[in-house]
RNA sequence: GCCCGGGUGGUGGAAUGGUAGACACGGAGGCCUCAAAAGCCUUUGCUCGCAAGGGCGUGCGGGUUCGAGUCCCGCCCCGGGUACCA
C-alpha cells in the first residue's frame, strides 16, 4: 500500500530523535576543520514569526551543508532575554519579568525545534541567567579597570510630573509624557559610558578586511563619521572669555568667514555675550532647552534661528572683526561646539547669513552656470590672500600649515561617533556592578561577590521609575573599600552589552571560573558566518566589534582576534502587503499554521525558493499558494521513491546525456548554496526531480534512477531535513545528515557536448550541440551547413566572423 | 538634501557581455471521476500569420560593442539608511 507524504507526522518523529542526537554537538578538540555559524540570538517575544523562520532556516542550511562537507560546525543559540517588553508586561499584569521571559523563551525555543533547526542546545545562553549576568558584570569591571568605562553627565528625557526618566518610546511626538501629559525636558544625569571612541580609527580601518555587505560597511563608516580638518582659535573682543575654538573641515575658506557661531550648550556661552545682550541670550538658551533635540532639528528647513551675542571674534587670517552668534543649528556635542560662519561655501551658514543680514564672501571660483548660493565644490581659490590660485585641496593643506606655524590652530580629526551610554534606569537588565561611596567614589563590586542580582521583591508600578532605586535592601550597602555607608548603583546596562560578547561565551559556555576559555575562543573564533537582520547593521555590530577589540587588548581573548565576524549575511525583511510585519501591528502570519498542515519542510522550502535571501519578502494573498506549491513538490519527491527500487552499487550507470543533465543540475544546487542564491538551488532541485520523473516514464536504466534519487535526497537534506532523513532511512537505513555531500565529476562535465549559439548579424538563429574543444574553422563550417544559416548568409559567405568558442559564433554579412 | 539598493510576463523571480523570461504561483484547455477534491497532460511575454515563419520586447533617452537586462552618461520612479556632524 502506498503511504502519502504526511509531513507533520514525519517531522515530529525526527524532532524527537534529534532531541538526543549528537550530530550537531561539537567539542573543542574536534579534529575536523572548524566552522562557526551563528544567527543573531533572538529577543524572546513568544512563538517564532516568519522573520525568525527566515533567519534560522538560512543559518540551518549553512550548518547542515558544512557538516555534510566534513566540517566541525559550531551552531549554538541562545536568547537576548533582558529588555523593556518584559518589564512593561510586569507593570501591566503584575507577572514578574523572569516568569514572563521564561515562558516566552519556552515558546520560541519550541517553535525553533518545530522548524527543525539544528543547534548544540547544551550551549544555550540566556542573558538574564545569573551565570551570564556574572560575567557581563565581570567584563564591565575589566573595562572600567582598563579605563574604558567612565561616568559623565548626559541628558535624559525627564518628566517633571512623574519625577522620573523616560525611554525615548515613552515620549510622544509632541514632546509630552505618554503617562502624565507633562512636557518632557532634557535633564542631565550622571551615567556610565563605554569609551568606544578610542577605537574609532580601528573600527573604521578594519572594515576593509571584512567580508560584509558593502551597504553595512558604508553605514558603519558614516556612523563613525571621521572628518579631517582643523581647529582654529578665535580671539573674542568685547567679553572676558578670551577666545573660542572652532572646528572646520574647510580651513581653506577662512577668508570667507563673515561671522562665527557657538552652540546653545557651549559651556562659556554666557561669558561670551556682551552685558547688554545677556538677558536675551539667556532667554534664548532657556527656550531651546525646553525643546527636544528632534524638534530642534526638524521643521525649520532653511530658516536658521539664533541671536547675536553682541561680541566679535577676530579672523586670524586678515585681522577683521566679525559678529558672534549663538544658534541651535550648531550642535554642542560635535566638534568644539562652535563654528566659523562661511556663507560662501557652506549652505547652512548661507541660510543663517541670509536670515540675519550677514554678508557673503566667495572664496572659491564658481563653475559656469552656478545658480548662486553656497558652493561646496572644488575650484580655484579667490579672495583668499596667500591661498589665491590654489585648488581647494592644496589650499586646505596650506591653510593648516599656516595655522600651525602661526599658532592660531592645528590639524584635527573629529568623529561623529560618540561614546556609548550604557546606563538604563530600568529593572529588567544586567545590574551595573558598582557601589558609590562618598569617600572612595565609584567602587566596583569585588569579583568574588558577583553576580549582583536584582531582588525579586520589588513593586512594578506605572511610574516609569526603576523599582531598584526604591528598594532599600538593594541600594543601601557598605563600601567594599572603606566599609562605610554607601549606595549601590541602581541603573542596569543597555542590553546591547549582553549581545556584545555572547558569541564568545558560546565557545565555552560551561566555564565557571571565567567568562570563557582562551583556548576555546582561539579554536572557534572568529565567527565564520554571521546571519541576521540588517536592522543591527550599526549598533549591535559596532558594539560587538568594539568589545572584541577591547577584550583582545586586555588579553582576555587572543591578541590576534581583532574582529568577531568574518562574514556577515543580512537577510531580507518580511512585509505584509508592503508594510512591516510586526507583533505590535497585530499582522503576524505565524508559522504554526503551516507546521500543522503542510509542515516545516514546506515552509522552509518556501523561504529558500521565494527569492534571493537578501531580498525582502512581501507576504501577499498569493503566498499561501506558493507554499502549497512547495508542499506539492515535496510530495512529488516523496512519491517518486515508490517508483524507483533500491539497488546496491552503481556500477551499471551508463554514461549518457541523462547522466550529464543530472550532474549539471546537481552542480547548480551546490553553486546556489555557495553564493547565497538558495532560490536557484531549489529551482535546480525541482528540475532535477522533474528530470527523474521523465526518466522513470521513459524507462531509464534502474541504476541511473537509483543513483539520481539518492543524490536528490542528499541534496535536499540541508533544505528539508525531515523529509530527506525519513526517505533516506527507509531506503538505506542510514542517517542522511551523516553522509557526504554529493560531488560532481568535473572532468565528465567539462568534456561533455555544449550548446553553441549561431548568430547572423548578431541575431540568434540556431543552437547546435558541439564538442567543447571545437575549432573556429569547424564551428563556421558546421554553422554554414545549417540550411537556415546558409540562406541568411547567402552566396558570398560571411564578411566577418566573431567566435567566442564554445559559446557563440556570430556571422556578419 | 546626501549615501546605498532596485525597476524583467498577470505574480515571485532566473540569466560569468553571448538562446531574455529558467523554476514556481496564477490562468486557460484537456484526461481521470456519477460528481468533486487530489493527481496527471497540454498551453501561457506582446504582436502579425491558417501555417511554416516573422516582428517587437528587461522604467525613459543617449552611448560603447559583432552582440547590452548586464558596461558608460543623463533622466524618471520605488525601497532602505541617514539627517543641520561644520
Amino acid at each position: 500500500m502506498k503511504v502519502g507524504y504526511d509531513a507533520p507526522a514525519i517531522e515530529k518523529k525526527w524532532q524527537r530523535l534529534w532531541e538526543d542526537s549528537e550530530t550537531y554537538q561539537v567539542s573543542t578538540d574536534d579534529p575536523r576543520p572548524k566552522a562557526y555559524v551563528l544567527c543573531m540570538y533572538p529577543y524572546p517575544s513568544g512563538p517564532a514569526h516568519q522573520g525568525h523562520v527566515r533567519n534560522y532556516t538560512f543559518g540551518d542550511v549553512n550548518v547542515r551543508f558544512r557538516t555534510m562537507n566534513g566540517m566541525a560546525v559550531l551552531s549554538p543559540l541562545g536568547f537576548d532575554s533582558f529588555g523593556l517588553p518584559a518589564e512593561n508586561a510586569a507593570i501591566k499584569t503584575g507577572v514578574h519579568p523572569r516568569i514572563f521571559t521564561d515562558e516566552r523563551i519556552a515558546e520560541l525555543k519550541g517553535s525553533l525545534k518545530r522548524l527543525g533547526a539544528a543547534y548544540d542546545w547544551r550551549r544555550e545562553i540566556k542573558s538574564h541567567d545569573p551565570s551570564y549576568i556574572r560575567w557581563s558584570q565581570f567584563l564591565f569591571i575589566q573595562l572600567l579597570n582598563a579605563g574604558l568605562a567612565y561616568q559623565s553627565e548626559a541628558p535624559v528625557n525627564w518628566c517633571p510630573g512623574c519625577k522620573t526618566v523616560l525611554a525615548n518610546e515613552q515620549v510622544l511626538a509632541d514632546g509630552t509624557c505618554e503617562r502624565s501629559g507633562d512636557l518632557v525636558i532634557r535633564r542631565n544625569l550622571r551615567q556610565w559610558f563605554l569609551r568606544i571612541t578610542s577605537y574609532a580609527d580601528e573600527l573604521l580601518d578594519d572594515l576593509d578586511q571584512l567580508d560584509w555587505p558593502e551597504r553595512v560597511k558604508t553605514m558603519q563608516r558614516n556612523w563613525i563619521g571621521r572628518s579631517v580638518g582643523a581647529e582654529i582659535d578665535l580671539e573674542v573682543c568685547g567679553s572676558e572669555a578670551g577666545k573660542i575654538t572652532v572646528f572646520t573641515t574647510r580651513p581653506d575658506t577662512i577668508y570667507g568667514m563673515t561671522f562665527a557661531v557657538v552652540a546653545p550648550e557651549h559651556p562659556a556661552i554666557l561669558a561670551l555675550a556682551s552685558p547688554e545682550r545677556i538677558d536675551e541670550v539667556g532667554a534664548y538658551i532657556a527656550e531651546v532647552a525646553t525643546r527636544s533635540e528632534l524638534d530642534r532639528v526638524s521643521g525649520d528647513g532653511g530658516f536658521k534661528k539664533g541671536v547675536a551675542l553682541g561680541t566679535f571674534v577676530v579672523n586670524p587670517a586678515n585681522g577683521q572683526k566679525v559678529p558672534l552668534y549663538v544658534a541651535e543649528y550648531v550642535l554642542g556635542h560635535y566638534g568644539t561646539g562652535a563654528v566659523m560662519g562661511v556663507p560662501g561655501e557652506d549652505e547652512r551658514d548661507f541660510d543663517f547669513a541670509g536670515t540675519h543680514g550677514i554678508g557673503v564672501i566667495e572664496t572659491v571660483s564658481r563653475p559656469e552656470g552656478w545658480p548662486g548660493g553656497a558652493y561646496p565644490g572644488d575650484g580655484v581659490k579667490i579672495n583668499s590672500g596667500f591661498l589665491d590660485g590654489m585648488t581647494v585641496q592644496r589650499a586646505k593643506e596650506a591653510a593648516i600649515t599656516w595655522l600651525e606655524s602661526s599658532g592660531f590652530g592645528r590639524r584635527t580629526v573629529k568623529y561623529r561617533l560618540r561614546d556609548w551610554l550604557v546606563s538604563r534606569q530600568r529593572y529588567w537588565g544586567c545590574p551595573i556592578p558598582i557601589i558609590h561611596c562618598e569617600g572612595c567614589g565609584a567602587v566596583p563590586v569585588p569579583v568574588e561577590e558577583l553576580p549582583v542580582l536584582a531582588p525579586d521583591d520589588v513593586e512594578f508600578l506605572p511610574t516609569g521609575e526603576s523599582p531598584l532605586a526604591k528598594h532599600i535592601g538593594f541600594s543601601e550597602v557598605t563600601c567594599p573599600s572603606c566599609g562605610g555607608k554607601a549606595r549601590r548603583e541602581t541603573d542596569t546596562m543597555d542590553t546591547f552589552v549582553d549581545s556584545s560578547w555572547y558569541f564568545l561565551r558560546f565557545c565555552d559556555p560551561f566555564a565557571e571560573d571565567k567568562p570563557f576559555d582562551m583556548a576555546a575562543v582561539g579554536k572557534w573564533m572568529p565567527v565564520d558566518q554571521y546571519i541576521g537582520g540588517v536592522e543591527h547593521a550599526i549598533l549591535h555590530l559596532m558594539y560587538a566589534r568594539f568589545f572584541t577589540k577591547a577584550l583582545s587588548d586586555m588579553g582576555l581573548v587572543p591578541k590576534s582576534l581583532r574582529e568577531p565576524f568574518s562574514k556577515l549575511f543580512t537577510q531580507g525583511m518580511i512585509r505584509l502587503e508592503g508594510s512591516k510585519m510586526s507583533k505590535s501591528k497585530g499582522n503576524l502570519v505565524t508559522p504554526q499554521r503551516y507546521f500543522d498542515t503542510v509542515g516545516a519542510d514546506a515552509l522552509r522550502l518556501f523561504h529558500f525558493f521565494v527569492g534571493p535571501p537578501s531580498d525582502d519578502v512581501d507576504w501577499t494573498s498569493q503566498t499561501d499558494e506558493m507554499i502549497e506549491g512547495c508542499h506539492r513538490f515535496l510530495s512529488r519527491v516523496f512519491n517518486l521513491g515508490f517508483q524507483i527500487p533500491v539497488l546496491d552499487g552503481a556500477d551499471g550507470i551508463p554514461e549518457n546525456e541523462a547522466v550529464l543533465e543530472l550532474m549539471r543540475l546537481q552542480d547548480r544546487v551546490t553553486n546556489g548554496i555557495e553564493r547565497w542564491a538558495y532560490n536557484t538551488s531549489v529551482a535546480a532541485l525541482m528540475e532535477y526531480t522533474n528530470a527523474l520523473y521523465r526518466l522513470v516514464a521513459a524507462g531509464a536504466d534502474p541504476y541511473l534512477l537509483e543513483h539520481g534519487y539518492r543524490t536528490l535526497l542528499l541534496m535536499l537534506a540541508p533544505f528539508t531535513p525531515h523529509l530527506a532523513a525519513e526517505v533516506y532511512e527507509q531506503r538505506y537505513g542510514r542517517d542522511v545528515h551523516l553522509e557526504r555531500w554529493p560531488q560532481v565529476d568535473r572532468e565528465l562535465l567539462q568534456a561533455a557536448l555544449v550548446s553553441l549559439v549561431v548568430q547572423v548579424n548578431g541575431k540568434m538563429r540556431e543552437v547546435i550541440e558541439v564538442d567543447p574543444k571545437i575549432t573556429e574553422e569547424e564551428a563556421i563550417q558546421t554553422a554554414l551547413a545549417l540550411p537556415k544559416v546558409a540562406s541568411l548568409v547567402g552566396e558570398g559567405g560571411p564578411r566577418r566572423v566573431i567566435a567566442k568558442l564554445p559559446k557563440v559564433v556570430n556571422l556578419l554579412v
Side-chain angles (χ1 to χ4, degrees), chain A residues 257-312:
Chain A
M257 173 167 73
T258 54
F259 61 102
V261 191
V262 295
E265 298 84 3
H266 197 282
I269 180 118
L270 291 176
L272 289 167
S274 72
E276 309 83 70
R277 305 277 308 160
I278 204 150
D279 289 346
E280 195 181 336
V281 169
Y284 174 72
I285 296 167
E287 193 268 327
V288 170
T290 63
R291 303 209 315 268
S292 70
E293 190 153 8
L294 193 79
D295 176 49
R296 221 175 107 175
V297 156
S298 63
D300 311 302
F303 182 73
K304 299 261 185 267
K305 283 188 257 183
V307 299
L309 293 178
T311 51
F312 295 84

Side-chain angles (χ1 to χ4, degrees), chain A residues 759-763 793 797-802 810-813:
Chain A
Q759 298 179 339
V760 179
N761 287 334
K763 259 196 179 332
V793 170
R799 181 172 52 82
R800 194 182 154 194
V801 176
I802 286 129
N810 188 4
L811 309 173
L812 305 180
V813 294

Side-chain angles (χ1 to χ4, degrees), chain A residues 50 106 138 172 243 245 254 300 318 331 363 429 478 619-620 644 687 711 763 786:
Chain A
Q50 298 296 347
F138 173 84
L172 301 178
K243 61 179 185 177
T245 302
I254 188 160
D300 311 302
N318 56 18
L331 305 175
T363 72
T478 55
W619 207 274
T620 69
I644 299 176
E687 288 185 64
T711 305
K763 259 196 179 332
L786 301 163

Side-chain angles (χ1 to χ4, degrees), chain A residues 40-333:
Chain A
M40 291 179 185
Y41 75 156
Y43 176 79
S45 53
H49 56 249
Q50 298 296 347
H52 291 128
V53 172
R54 207 167 162 71
N55 196 181
Y56 299 109
T57 50
F58 291 163
D60 199 45
V61 80
N62 268 273
V63 170
R64 294 181 184 274
F65 177 72
R66 287 174 206 244
T67 302
M68 289 180 83
N69 280 288
M71 307 190 84
V73 182
L74 177 61
S75 170
L77 195 71
F79 301 94
D80 185 15
S81 50
F82 272 135
L84 213 45
E87 191 163 344
N88 288 342
I91 292 167
K92 216 173 190 171
T93 66
V95 177
H96 192 277
R98 180 178 310 102
I99 294 168
F100 178 87
T101 300
D102 286 342
E103 283 171 3
R104 299 291 89 76
I105 288 176
E107 289 170 344
L108 181 51
K109 195 171 167 182
S111 43
L112 292 175
K113 286 189 173 179
R114 184 62 190 80
L115 186 62
Y119 299 109
D120 184 350
W121 282 112
R122 298 172 308 164
R123 295 175 186 261
E124 176 179 346
I125 284 172
K126 289 175 275 206
S127 308
H128 76 292
D129 197 305
S131 65
Y132 193 78
I133 292 173
R134 179 181 181 188
W135 299 114
S136 288
Q137 292 172 338
F138 173 84
L139 293 176
F140 180 88
I141 293 168
Q142 303 310 306
L143 290 166
L144 180 69
N145 293 341
L148 291 170
Y150 65 95
Q151 293 182 91
S152 176
E153 299 263 321
V156 291
N157 299 306
W158 177 262
C159 173
C162 307
K163 292 188 170 40
T164 185
V165 172
L166 302 180
N168 285 334
E169 309 85 83
Q170 296 173 297
V171 182
L172 301 178
D174 63 356
T176 59
C177 171
E178 64 163 6
R179 217 176 296 278
S180 70
D182 287 295
L183 194 63
V184 174
I185 60 167
R186 310 208 24 99
R187 181 173 151 174
N188 282 332
L189 218 65
R190 202 157 174 77
Q191 306 190 72
W192 287 95
F193 288 82
L194 297 183
R195 215 180 289 279
I196 191 172
T197 53
S198 44
Y199 285 90
D201 274 322
E202 202 192 334
L203 287 167
L204 182 68
D205 294 342
D206 287 355
L207 285 171
D208 294 339
Q209 39 166 304
L210 297 178
D211 186 356
W212 285 18
E214 215 38 62
R215 176 168 71 122
V216 174
K217 293 204 272 186
T218 303
M219 281 165 147
Q220 294 220 345
R221 286 190 189 105
N222 292 342
W223 192 258
I224 294 167
R226 186 181 140 104
S227 296
V228 179
E231 285 180 353
I232 304 175
D233 301 324
L234 302 176
E235 190 191 333
V236 181
C237 334
S239 94
E240 63 240 45
K243 61 179 185 177
I244 61 167
T245 302
V246 296
F247 173 68
T248 179
T249 56
R250 292 293 302 274
D252 63 292
T253 62
I254 188 160
Y255 283 91
M257 173 167 73
T258 54
F259 61 102
V261 191
V262 295
E265 298 84 3
H266 197 282
I269 180 118
L270 291 176
L272 289 167
S274 72
E276 309 83 70
R277 305 277 308 160
I278 204 150
D279 289 346
E280 195 181 336
V281 169
Y284 174 72
I285 296 167
E287 193 268 327
V288 170
T290 63
R291 303 209 315 268
S292 70
E293 190 153 8
L294 193 79
D295 176 49
R296 221 175 107 175
V297 156
S298 63
D300 311 302
F303 182 73
K304 299 261 185 267
K305 283 188 257 183
V307 299
L309 293 178
T311 51
F312 295 84
V313 296
V314 180
N315 184 336
N318 56 18
Q320 291 191 353
K321 282 197 209 172
V322 297
L324 182 60
Y325 288 79
V326 54
E328 60 202 81
Y329 83 91
V330 175
L331 305 175
H333 56 69

Side-chain angles (χ1 to χ4, degrees), chain A residues 628-658:
Chain A
E628 284 293 338
C630 290
H631 178 252
R632 198 175 308 143
F633 164 70
L634 293 178
S635 297
R636 274 167 59 78
V637 171
F638 187 86
N639 292 329
L640 179 58
F642 298 111
Q643 302 182 46
I644 299 176
V646 179
L647 296 169
D648 281 331
D651 302 336
I653 301 176
E655 286 193 14
N656 59 20
E657 188 46 46

Side-chain angles (χ1 to χ4, degrees), chain A residues 259-435:
Chain A
F259 61 102
V261 191
V262 295
E265 298 84 3
H266 197 282
I269 180 118
L270 291 176
L272 289 167
S274 72
E276 309 83 70
R277 305 277 308 160
I278 204 150
D279 289 346
E280 195 181 336
V281 169
Y284 174 72
I285 296 167
E287 193 268 327
V288 170
T290 63
R291 303 209 315 268
S292 70
E293 190 153 8
L294 193 79
D295 176 49
R296 221 175 107 175
V297 156
S298 63
D300 311 302
F303 182 73
K304 299 261 185 267
K305 283 188 257 183
V307 299
L309 293 178
T311 51
F312 295 84
V313 296
V314 180
N315 184 336
N318 56 18
Q320 291 191 353
K321 282 197 209 172
V322 297
L324 182 60
Y325 288 79
V326 54
E328 60 202 81
Y329 83 91
V330 175
L331 305 175
H333 56 69
Y334 182 75
T336 57
V339 301
M340 57 180 195
V342 186
E345 280 78 35
D346 184 285
E347 207 175 310
R348 297 153 301 181
D349 294 345
F350 185 86
D351 289 344
F352 188 82
T355 313
H356 296 267
I358 304 167
V360 178
I361 300 171
E362 300 184 348
T363 72
V364 182
S365 59
R366 272 40 177 176
E368 209 154 320
W370 181 251
Y375 174 69
D378 287 333
V380 176
K381 298 300 300 183
I382 53 174
N383 300 325
S384 294
F386 71 101
L387 301 173
D388 279 352
M390 295 184 193
T391 60
V392 167
Q393 196 48 49
R394 292 234 0 242
K396 277 186 189 175
E397 287 304 315
I400 292 173
T401 305
W402 171 77
L403 284 168
E404 292 192 329
S405 64
S406 61
F408 285 117
R410 62 216 71 86
R411 178 186 303 275
T412 313
V413 178
K414 297 282 185 197
Y415 302 89
R416 208 191 83 114
L417 182 71
R418 291 194 242 170
D419 275 340
W420 175 14
L421 198 172
V422 296
S423 297
R424 294 290 181 274
Q425 294 75 36
R426 293 284 136 202
Y427 171 82
W428 193 238
C430 178
I432 294 173
I434 294 291
I435 288 166

Side-chain angles (χ1 to χ4, degrees), chain A residues 464-621:
Chain A
E465 191 177 2
S466 166
L468 290 179
K470 290 181 299 185
H471 192 284
I472 306 294
F474 181 71
S475 63
E476 287 186 1
V477 288
T478 55
C479 171
S481 179
C482 69
K485 252 181 81 170
R487 185 180 57 80
R488 190 188 292 284
E489 171 71 60
T490 56
D491 282 355
T492 52
M493 295 183 214
D494 182 0
T495 56
F496 279 121
V497 173
D498 307 314
S499 55
S500 289
W501 71 282
Y502 78 109
F503 45 90
L504 297 169
R505 180 75 181 170
F506 273 144
C507 298
D508 178 29
F510 318 108
E512 290 186 2
D513 55 344
K514 53 196 166 192
F516 34 72
D517 178 64
M518 179 82 104
V521 168
K523 157 95 182 181
W524 296 108
M525 287 295 289
V527 174
D528 297 279
Q529 181 66 64
Y530 199 36
I531 304 164
V534 75
E535 65 272 19
H536 292 116
I538 299 175
L539 298 182
H540 163 58
L541 291 169
M542 186 88 75
Y543 295 148
R545 295 180 62 217
F546 159 59
F547 253 65
T548 302
K549 289 177 190 301
L551 296 180
S552 173
D553 285 338
M554 284 153 47
L556 287 168
V557 301
K559 289 277 175 217
S560 57
L561 183 67
R562 303 304 294 181
E563 285 289 342
F565 315 123
S566 303
K567 279 192 190 183
L568 173 70
F569 183 84
T570 52
Q571 91 274 2
M573 282 190 327
I574 311 281
R575 311 164 164 287
L576 189 67
E577 309 284 3
S579 69
K580 196 173 166 180
M581 202 189 267
S582 72
K583 200 173 180 180
S584 57
K585 287 191 179 168
N587 61 0
L588 290 180
V589 181
T590 64
Q592 189 60 47
R593 51 190 267 213
Y594 301 103
F595 293 158
D596 295 339
T597 54
V598 294
D601 278 342
L603 182 61
R604 290 169 61 114
L605 196 71
F606 164 77
H607 279 281
F608 291 124
F609 185 51
V610 66
S614 54
D615 282 11
D616 287 352
V617 176
D618 200 6
W619 207 274
T620 69
S621 51

